[in-house]
Amino acid sequence: MMRFWRSVVGKLWVTILLLVSCVLFVLTMLLLKFFETYHVQEAEKGLTQLAVKVAEVMKERQDEALARSIASSLVGDASKAIIVIDKTHYWYLPSHSERRDVPLSFIEADEELKQAFTKQVKKKTYLPNVYTENGRNSQWLIVGVPLTTADGKHGAVFVLQSLKAVEDTTRQTTKFIFLAAFIAIVLTTVFAFFLSTRITAPLRKMRQAAFEVASGKFDTKVPILTHDEIGELARAFNQMGRRLQFNINALNQEKEQLASILSSMADGVITFNRDGEILITNPPAERFLQAWYFEQGNESEMMAALPPQVKDLFTRVVNEEQEQATEVTLQGRTWVILMTPLYSQTAVRGAVAVLRDMTEERRLDKLRKDFIANVSHELRTPIAMLQGYSEAIIDDVAATDEEKKEMAKVIYDESLRMGRLVNDLLDLARMEAGHMTLNVETVQLRPYIERIIHKFQGLAKEKEIDLSAEFRSEDMHMTIDPDRIEQVLTNLIDNALRHTNEYGMVKVIVERSGDAVTIHVQDSGSGIPEDDLPFVFERFYKADKARTRGRSGTGLGLAIAKNIVEAHKGTITVHSKLGEGTTFTFTLPVQNNRS
């Protein structure tokens, strides 16, 4: 109910109703007063005329009895009359009126009525001992005119009439006026309701359309029902909706275009507000932030913190309002950051940072420096041993057959080592050239992984290392080349065992997310130096810088593993902290159609 009174319909209806009610009230009061006065005046006029006629009849007729008879017929039953002559003789008209109904003594005692003997008088008063039918005293109208008879006597004619008839007429008129006012109020209410709803119906439609526009339905239209101001408002509203739709579409296109540009950029972009909070990032920038959070040990938390170098750079940019640059190294990757202030008219409202990953350039520089050294080192040792032991055999340094066999065995082992090196190089070259063929088949992962781990249990027990597997999803299967993926897992588990000290831990974690399976090989070993993380999948990389025989391989295993994973349309990454351990993670699609 309160909602109705607060609405436009309620307010307009109440306004119109109050306005009409006030007008009707004033008009009713005026009409009542007018009719009351009018009826009294008409009664006075009629009584005066009657009194004058009676006086004329009494004056013109010599026969007094005849004159009274004619006067009585003129007075009738509606009025009463008293004829007084010489203040001593008086007659009551009509002749059948009883003396008690005409209080002559009251007239004789009233000073105002006494003047009727000389001039015409009028008076409204209450007569004593005169009652109406319901027992209440009624007001009487008395008109007196002077009288001169034919024989020269002087007197007065008093005509009396009860105002009860006038009151009854006025009461009927009042009822009629109030009935008309009531009908007028009812009609006004109906008209006000009709007018209010007529005016507010388009407004309600506009309100509903405004809510729909606010919720994003910019194609909403308001029907144009009239051609007045409300119709013009509806037309303007529809035009506003079309302009909003056009502008929103333009903004969305620009936003999508900007998002596409940011997503396709090779460089990272981070936008900050005035308080240094991150507003917008693109995928390269998110990789930079994820590396920072992993290094801080809060990889699963919300990305809110920044490296101190970036914070200092942002502070300098805001304070100096100039472009600044710095270089940050995270997880073995080198980032050059160029930050520029963003302006809102004249004030700095934030900053935008462009992050360029310079790791590849640094890696190529390092590869150019290390390639010859790596190849030379890998070939020099077996060649030197082959040459040395061959010369010893030729020079008959070995005195016994047993010593000759031992030298020959060393030569054989080194030749096998060179063969493995050459085969790995050939395999790697074929993979990188895209000549690798996958023999895919569907494999149940749990028995497949457990079989591979079982091969290393002997070595793990020998080093007292806890080697285990954890399956975070049930009934996992994949379409892969089992031999190639076994080669990847063998390399990763072997590396983990070789670089994990006694009483350490190596765990293989398998989980499924959507249409892909992720396998983590996690160890608690010595870890990989941060500077070497970008190069672990390169040829001849070895975490063992001394390259002692027996512990290090050819340095090609991880490069081969990377190519195998990529041939399965997967990805492989590494996270490591020096002294805490290393985690190799590779993700493969469940269905692989490559052959």
Side-chain angles (χ1 to χ4, degrees), residues 37-55 74-76 78-81 120-122 141-145 157-161 163 166:
T37 304
Y38 173 77
H39 291 150
V40 172
Q41 289 176 350
E42 288 295 316
E44 290 178 352
K45 184 178 178 181
L47 289 179
T48 302
Q49 292 176 353
L50 180 61
V52 170
K53 288 182 179 180
V54 171
L74 289 175
V75 171
S79 303
K80 297 179 185 299
Q120 182 177 318
V121 295
K122 300 175 183 178
L141 175 63
I142 304 176
V143 176
V145 296
V157 176
F158 295 94
V159 179
L160 301 83
Q161 183 178 3
L163 291 181
V166 176

Side-chain angles (χ1 to χ4, degrees), residues 10-135:
K11 292 178 180 178
L12 188 59
W13 178 76
V14 169
T15 302
I16 296 175
L17 190 61
L18 288 177
L19 179 61
V20 173
S21 298
C22 292
V23 173
L24 287 176
F25 175 78
V26 174
L27 183 61
T28 300
M29 295 297 103
L30 293 176
L31 286 174
L32 290 176
K33 188 65 178 175
F34 168 77
F35 280 113
E36 181 180 2
T37 304
Y38 173 77
H39 291 150
V40 172
Q41 289 176 350
E42 288 295 316
E44 290 178 352
K45 184 178 178 181
L47 289 179
T48 302
Q49 292 176 353
L50 180 61
V52 170
K53 288 182 179 180
V54 171
E56 290 178 351
V57 169
M58 295 300 296
K59 179 180 179 180
E60 294 175 353
R61 298 290 188 273
Q62 295 292 333
D63 188 350
E64 184 176 302
L66 178 60
R68 287 201 305 270
S69 176
I70 296 173
S72 177
S73 62
L74 289 175
V75 171
D77 294 333
S79 303
K80 297 179 185 299
I82 301 176
I83 301 175
V84 180
I85 299 177
D86 288 338
K87 297 184 180 180
T88 57
H89 298 86
Y90 60 90
W91 293 271
Y92 296 98
L93 300 177
S95 57
H96 60 270
S97 298
E98 297 182 5
R99 182 180 291 272
R100 65 180 179 85
D101 291 336
V102 182
L104 182 61
S105 58
F106 175 78
I107 296 176
E108 293 176 346
D110 191 282
E111 296 295 332
E112 183 177 353
L113 294 177
K114 284 182 180 181
Q115 298 179 9
F117 291 96
T118 58
K119 64 178 181 179
Q120 182 177 318
V121 295
K122 300 175 183 178
K123 185 175 182 179
K124 289 187 291 184
T125 184
Y126 289 95
L127 298 178
N129 301 324
V130 177
Y131 299 92
T132 59
E133 293 135 359
N134 56 8

Side-chain angles (χ1 to χ4, degrees), residues 317-376:
V317 167
V318 173
N319 293 336
E320 301 177 12
E321 298 186 10
Q322 292 181 354
E323 183 179 276
Q324 303 288 338
T326 188
E327 185 172 311
V328 178
T329 301
L330 288 175
Q331 291 289 295
R333 305 196 73 83
T334 302
W335 301 83
V336 174
I337 303 176
L338 182 66
M339 192 175 295
T340 305
L342 291 176
Y343 292 93
S344 177
Q345 295 181 350
T346 58
V348 176
R349 63 178 177 86
V352 58
V354 178
L355 298 80
R356 175 161 294 180
D357 189 355
M358 300 296 291
T359 306
E360 187 66 20
E361 287 77 0
R362 303 294 170 84
R363 183 184 68 83
L364 293 176
D365 292 340
K366 184 175 177 62
L367 286 177
R368 283 194 297 268
K369 296 176 183 178
D370 295 344
F371 180 74
I372 296 177
N374 287 333
V375 174
S376 300

